[in-house]
Amino acid sequence: MSYTFELNNERKDANFVSGKVKANSPVVEIFSAMAQGKDLAPYGKKADVAAKYIMELNSKASNGDISAMSELNEIRRFAIEPVLMKEIKLLSIYGNYKAIGFNDSCEVEIPEFANLGSKIQAAGQDVTFPVIRKKRVPIATVNISGGYAVDYRKAAIGDMTDENELQDQVRVQIRNNAAKYVVETIYTAIKNAKGVKYLADDASLTKTNADKVIANVRRFGKPTITGDYALISKFNDFAGFSGTTPAVTGISQKVMDEIHSTGLMGMYNGAILSELPNPYDLTTMNKAGDNFDTMLPAGLGYVIPAGGQSPIYTITRGGLTSFTGTDVTTGQIMSRFDLSVGALVAPNREYEIGLLHDQSLDSLK
């Protein structure tokens, strides 16, 4: 699965700039203000100087100046990065999240149980007891990308009405694809795990199999079931909800109120039900071809116990890196921003997360 897109004649922008522009440079702050349509008067004389410089860069870029394109992307990178990295911290919802530097070792430290082979004590022999030790495990990363085609001519005359929306687009693309990469990595790790694992991977999710996973995971702590609305809403049926008021029987008024308010119950058999936001991917159709696909697999859900240390580890390495090149498909000049993301389920601890998958709701294999 690719989380980036290819560019012809790809150029890393950092190799084509002077390095004079920094994250705290006035031109970055004023560029952001112009993109957001803010009044530049509070910035005084430096606003005029910076605005003129930005328009000159766009004018040069519209004439094919590679250095100007790269410098504009560096300014964008400094504007986008702080907001994006705050949003990326939401990956901690899946477990342990850590941001590391470009030059840091790409490893995570995970607890490991040793001496698990305890036996019944025989006369004159010692019993081995489990010991928790720390182990460093390498974690692979992939590039998560977002990007767009820039209209340099429009910005050259000071019209930056599209800039804020385009920056938002980059953040959304990277944030959504990072979440997609993480959940698909977790799914693959649990499904392919050897030994004990708790999963219900069925043609259609059944109450019997879902209850079995929940019961097993519950011994590690009170579970939360998180997933797409399409999956979580199935628990309404499992709890006995069918029809509409007043044709409903055998279900409490509290649960009825929850369903009518949100479309979902808040609890199921002692487990918290939590809908995971899952927007449409407007570039991909679903397998039936009659609607957009979703960013995350709609049939995938996780049963996560409260307390203890999650076996899921996610990292981001360094910050954003920007590139300029020609889109392979359209031939347009594109700006691409990459973020290096890694995800890992601690080996031999896959059983600490339950997996529910309704194959009828997505095309995940």
Side-chain angles (χ1 to χ4, degrees):
M1 178 68 185
S2 177
Y3 302 92
T4 186
F5 56 90
E6 297 300 321
L7 296 175
N8 284 325
N9 303 316
E10 181 178 286
R11 302 179 297 273
K12 187 176 180 179
D13 292 317
N15 295 334
F16 291 86
V17 295
S18 62
K20 293 180 181 178
V21 177
K22 306 294 183 184
N24 58 353
S25 297
V27 70
V28 174
E29 186 177 7
I30 292 166
F31 182 90
S32 295
M34 291 173 69
Q36 295 169 29
K38 291 182 178 179
D39 182 10
L40 300 184
Y43 298 100
K45 292 182 179 179
K46 66 180 181 180
D48 294 333
V49 176
K52 181 181 178 183
Y53 182 66
I54 291 166
M55 287 188 287
E56 286 176 350
L57 282 177
N58 277 282
S59 179
K60 291 177 181 178
S62 68
N63 291 319
D65 188 318
I66 293 173
S67 295
M69 294 178 190
S70 296
E71 188 159 349
L72 283 167
N73 274 349
E74 282 290 278
I75 294 171
R76 286 191 184 93
R77 181 173 69 83
F78 289 131
I80 295 170
E81 191 173 63
V83 181
L84 174 64
M85 295 312 292
K86 285 181 181 179
E87 295 174 342
I88 286 292
K89 286 181 181 179
L90 293 175
L91 291 177
S92 61
I93 189 176
Y94 303 108
N96 309 279
Y97 166 74
K98 184 180 180 181
I100 64 174
F102 279 116
N103 298 320
D104 291 343
S105 176
C106 223
E107 296 179 325
V108 292
E109 189 174 68
I110 62 175
E112 180 184 51
F113 291 102
N115 297 340
L116 278 178
S118 300
K119 300 179 179 65
I120 298 175
Q121 186 174 9
Q125 293 183 340
D126 292 330
V127 176
T128 56
F129 293 96
V131 177
I132 298 178
R133 295 174 180 165
K134 295 291 185 179
K135 178 182 178 182
R136 296 195 68 82
V137 176
I139 180 168
T141 60
V142 299
N143 282 333
I144 308 293
S145 300
Y148 50 77
V150 183
D151 188 344
Y152 294 110
R153 288 184 176 83
K154 191 174 181 181
I157 59 174
D159 185 350
M160 295 179 61
T161 52
D162 295 337
E163 184 67 39
N164 196 46
E165 184 177 341
L166 292 171
Q167 289 185 27
D168 284 344
Q169 175 183 316
V170 167
R171 294 203 311 271
V172 169
Q173 285 175 333
I174 294 177
R175 187 182 66 223
N176 286 346
N177 278 315
K180 184 174 185 178
Y181 164 70
V182 171
V183 299
E184 290 183 352
T185 299
I186 298 168
Y187 168 76
T188 301
I190 296 174
K191 184 175 181 180
N192 296 334
K194 306 297 183 183
V196 177
K197 54 186 174 183
Y198 305 128
L199 78 159
D201 195 355
D202 304 315
S204 182
L205 189 68
T206 66
K207 183 179 188 304
T208 300
N209 289 343
D211 287 351
K212 189 182 299 182
V213 172
I214 295 166
N216 284 324
V217 173
R218 190 181 180 92
R219 297 184 187 279
F220 294 106
K222 185 175 181 179
T224 294
I225 305 169
T226 182
D228 180 84
Y229 174 83
L231 181 79
I232 297 298
S233 62
K234 290 207 166 191
F235 288 91
N236 294 354
D237 297 332
F238 296 167
F241 177 88
S242 60
T244 57
T245 306
V248 180
T249 58
I251 192 166
S252 72
Q253 185 60 46
K254 182 180 178 181
V255 172
M256 285 288 299
D257 291 341
E258 287 177 344
I259 294 172
H260 286 309
S261 174
T262 66
L264 300 170
M265 296 186 300
M267 301 282 291
Y268 172 77
N269 282 359
I272 298 169
L273 295 176
S274 175
E275 180 186 357
L276 189 65
N278 190 11
Y280 282 123
D281 177 358
L282 301 180
T283 65
T284 308
M285 299 299 289
N286 63 10
K287 59 185 178 181
D290 59 0
N291 198 1
F292 298 111
D293 204 354
T294 51
M295 287 301 305
L296 306 180
L300 196 57
Y302 296 103
V303 185
I304 304 172
Q309 186 174 17
S310 170
I312 302 169
Y313 293 80
T314 58
I315 64 166
T316 52
R317 188 176 194 181
L320 281 180
T321 305
S322 66
F323 297 85
T324 302
T326 306
D327 182 64
V328 173
T329 306
T330 65
Q332 289 181 298
I333 296 177
M334 297 283 290
S335 294
R336 193 186 78 205
F337 298 84
D338 289 359
L339 181 66
S340 186
V341 178
L344 172 78
V345 180
N348 303 315
R349 289 178 56 206
E350 295 90 352
Y351 57 81
E352 293 181 27
I353 300 290
L355 178 68
L356 305 175
H357 184 219
D358 186 329
Q359 298 168 4
S360 69
L361 298 177
D362 58 45
S363 56
L364 187 63
K365 301 296 183 184

